[in-house]
Amino acid sequence: MGLLIRNGEIVAVGSRVKGDVYAENETVTRIGKNLEAPPGTEIIDATGKFVFPGFIDPHVHIYLPFMATFAKDTHETASVAALIGGTTTYIEMCCPNRTDDALAGYELWKSKADGASACDYAFHMAVTKFGEETESQLREIVADGTSSFKIFLAYKNFFGVDDGEMYQTLTLAKKLGVIVTAHCENAELVARLQAQLIGEGKTGPEWHEPSRPESVEAEGTGRFAAFLENTGATGYVVHLSCERALNAALAAKERGVRLSVEAVLPHLLLDKSFAERPGIEGMKHVMSPPLRAKHNQDVLWNALARGLVDTVGTDHCPFDVEQKLLGTDAFTNIPNGIPGIEDRVNLLYSFGVQKGRIDLDRFVNIASTRAAKLFGLFPRKGTIEVGGDADLVVFDPGYRGIISVKTQHVNNDYNGFEGMAIAGRPSVVTVRGKVQVRDGEFVGERGRGRLLKREPAYF
Ligand code: URP
Ligand code: ZN
Ligand code: ZN
């Protein structure tokens, strides 16, 4: 059965037209005005609404064994939450740790998503050690269609790689044409500062930020960039949080280093005072890199508006209150992370477009198109054009609502953005031509999501 979305304002990067979109057999087959539709076509009236390409979250954690526990979502819960929020594709970090076998980890992560996700998905393959077998294993994973890696310069002895391993990973990535995403904090400095603070009896969540100050992130970002520069690899800094790290990234870009930058929602909307709240309220806002001094928010928004930051993801990583309380005696044991997959698009629209910080074109670019281009999904995803997947978001800018744990679909017992007002939300969301969401309700087919195979592109 065909699907016709009528009379909406169709927005893609570089174009904004009123008209209709027709989809058949999972793809967009016609775009125009007053399109005819065969009998039996499902018709959606988008008058007064935007029609956006399905949004892409380039950085989520769903299955995640981390800090003595597991993140709370499954692909069943996370994908429904994602779709309700307008995200039709997410890229999950596949994160076996240093003692795990990479290939076995990759198969495990795939098995968790297979038949479970209601939206399409892909993986960034984390390289958490570089041993004898790593090159052949990574070649196999890339041949399977996973053409991006992830390295952590933080999380010493768990996910973290040393400089030698980073060099080997980037050298191989360059050969294979794979982009490398990186969490950029200096692991040694974090470990030393954590030990010092705990030794001084500074155990509450308010000490998390001082244990990984801006200089620690700026060093990691600058070092990653220097390694890219000297290997010729292409990189992407995940969840960049502050001005000093941004300056390190921009300086590298000016030198010609092939580097892109991701911001995540918490750093755009929350500041470190949230993590300084006493007890569990502070713990809920412990993530890495940490929430920063407020002035960094304007820096990041301005960089987004000017195209200096490429994408906005979430680093969706839900741990519930009971799990956060593992860090009652020491902030170093608070599982790092905050959920966000459901709220990213609405918050970005409300606090970005509605407040005049970014225009509609930038919004679509940073929430969808740019990620599709960087990670080998374009033009199948990330735009609206004939031949592309019919992942479409009919977005109602007239909707008004409040973010709340009471109404969320993420599997968690708090929402870090609780009480924030949103101005606009998706009213219809489709995945490859099938309506999956209507007015905040999942109405579609669970398990519809497919693993997206991606070709290497960065030789
Ligand atoms: O605090 C965070 N970001 N938790 C998830 C792991 C990571 O660093 O991405
Ligand atoms: Zn990270
Ligand atoms: Zn992450």
Side-chain angles (χ1 to χ4, degrees):
M1 188 176 69
L3 172 80
L4 179 64
I5 298 178
R6 242 184 203 154
N7 209 23
E9 189 164 348
I10 305 162
V11 187
V13 171
S15 92
R16 199 167 156 178
V17 287
K18 283 228 165 82
D20 309 342
V21 183
Y22 182 76
E24 211 170 10
N25 298 328
E26 306 202 341
T27 57
V28 173
T29 54
R30 286 182 288 152
I31 302 169
K33 287 195 192 299
N34 305 317
L35 294 181
E36 295 293 327
T41 298
E42 181 170 6
I43 295 178
I44 292 163
D45 180 13
T47 305
K49 299 186 174 122
F50 296 117
V51 183
F52 293 129
F55 294 101
I56 299 171
D57 190 337
H59 183 170
V60 306
H61 301 271
I62 296 169
Y63 174 66
L64 183 68
F66 183 49
M67 297 190 73
T69 188
F70 291 82
K72 292 298 287 186
D73 265 319
T74 60
H75 283 270
E76 281 93 348
T77 56
S79 62
V80 166
L83 284 167
I84 287 172
T87 291
T88 54
T89 297
Y90 51 66
I91 310 183
E92 186 190 8
M93 299 294 172
C94 171
C95 290
N97 70 49
R98 281 184 80 79
T99 58
D100 293 332
D101 180 75
L103 254 189
Y106 181 61
E107 293 305 327
L108 176 64
W109 257 259
K110 280 207 301 185
S111 73
K112 298 282 177 190
D114 190 24
S117 179
C119 64
D120 287 349
Y121 59 93
F123 297 103
H124 299 299
M125 182 65 208
V127 183
T128 53
K129 66 170 178 293
F130 207 103
E132 298 244 300
E133 68 299 340
T134 303
E135 174 163 348
S136 67
Q137 292 190 327
L138 292 175
R139 283 180 181 276
E140 204 173 319
I141 289 165
V142 173
D144 190 50
T146 289
S147 63
S148 49
F149 295 159
K150 168 75 180 283
I151 55 173
F152 293 88
L153 308 191
Y155 309 129
K156 197 174 156 80
N157 300 327
F158 193 69
F159 292 146
V161 288
D162 63 25
D163 284 356
E165 292 168 317
M166 168 158 60
Y167 182 85
Q168 286 172 292
T169 305
L170 295 181
T171 304
L172 178 63
K174 168 76 180 158
K175 267 195 253 168
L176 298 181
V178 162
I179 187 169
V180 180
T181 71
H183 175 137
C184 297
E185 290 179 299
N186 184 304
E188 188 63 39
L189 277 171
V190 172
R192 301 281 173 171
L193 291 172
Q194 284 179 333
Q196 185 188 326
L197 290 163
I198 295 289
E200 291 167 1
K202 295 170 174 166
T203 57
E206 70 275 25
W207 297 105
H208 177 69
E209 200 276 341
S211 77
R212 16 196 4 130
E214 293 182 24
S215 56
V216 162
E217 188 183 347
E219 190 282 337
T221 308
R223 181 158 41 99
F224 177 53
F227 275 67
L228 292 172
E229 193 169 1
N230 287 284
T231 55
T234 302
Y236 174 97
V237 178
V238 299
H239 52 37
L240 184 139
S241 73
C242 62
E243 183 169 17
R244 288 183 67 172
L246 180 65
N247 288 342
L250 295 183
K253 279 199 200 199
E254 278 207 356
R255 300 195 301 273
V257 177
R258 298 201 296 185
L259 178 66
S260 302
V261 175
E262 170 194 273
V264 292
L265 208 57
H267 297 130
L268 289 166
L269 297 179
L270 307 170
D271 63 68
K272 68 178 184 169
S273 67
F274 283 82
E276 288 167 353
R277 294 173 177 181
I280 185 61
E281 289 310 313
M283 292 177 184
K284 289 176 182 174
H285 293 94
V286 164
M287 67 204 75
S288 296
L291 294 177
R292 298 298 190 190
K294 201 165 177 53
H295 74 91
N296 289 291
Q297 292 175 3
D298 279 343
V299 171
L300 293 177
W301 281 111
N302 287 337
L304 278 169
R306 295 171 60 204
L308 302 174
V309 168
D310 296 79
T311 62
V312 170
T314 55
D315 198 7
H316 176 74
C317 192
F319 294 107
D320 67 12
V321 165
E322 191 184 344
Q323 292 171 307
K324 288 282 182 182
L325 288 171
L326 292 170
T328 302
D329 295 333
F331 70 85
T332 48
N333 294 330
I334 303 169
N336 287 197
I338 182 172
I341 201 167
E342 189 165 349
D343 303 316
R344 178 183 67 122
V345 171
N346 293 343
L347 286 169
L348 195 58
Y349 180 85
S350 304
F351 288 85
V353 179
Q354 274 278 326
K355 294 217 185 286
R357 286 165 161 149
I358 51 173
D359 63 24
L360 215 50
D361 200 83
R362 287 292 303 148
F363 167 70
V364 171
N365 208 353
I366 62 187
S368 180
T369 313
R370 189 80 185 117
K373 288 184 174 170
L374 286 169
F375 298 118
L377 295 168
F378 191 85
R380 179 176 172 192
K381 308 285 190 192
T383 190
I384 303 178
E385 64 179 52
V386 171
D389 282 357
D391 296 353
L392 302 164
V393 176
V394 179
F395 191 88
D396 179 5
Y399 177 84
R400 296 291 176 269
I402 304 286
I403 302 279
S404 173
V405 65
K406 293 191 191 115
T407 48
Q408 75 180 7
H409 299 80
V410 164
N411 184 28
N412 205 6
D413 56 5
Y414 80 93
N415 187 312
F417 305 96
E418 187 73 32
M420 289 191 173
I422 53 165
R425 77 162 183 191
S427 56
V428 173
V429 180
T430 72
V431 174
R432 285 178 276 106
K434 178 162 179 45
V435 174
Q436 294 285 74
V437 167
R438 268 183 206 279
D439 299 323
E441 295 296 326
F442 182 76
V443 296
E445 181 189 330
R446 290 173 198 274
R448 179 172 176 74
R450 282 197 204 131
L451 172 59
L452 301 166
K453 307 272 182 184
R454 299 174 293 127
E455 292 294 325
Y458 294 100
F459 299 96

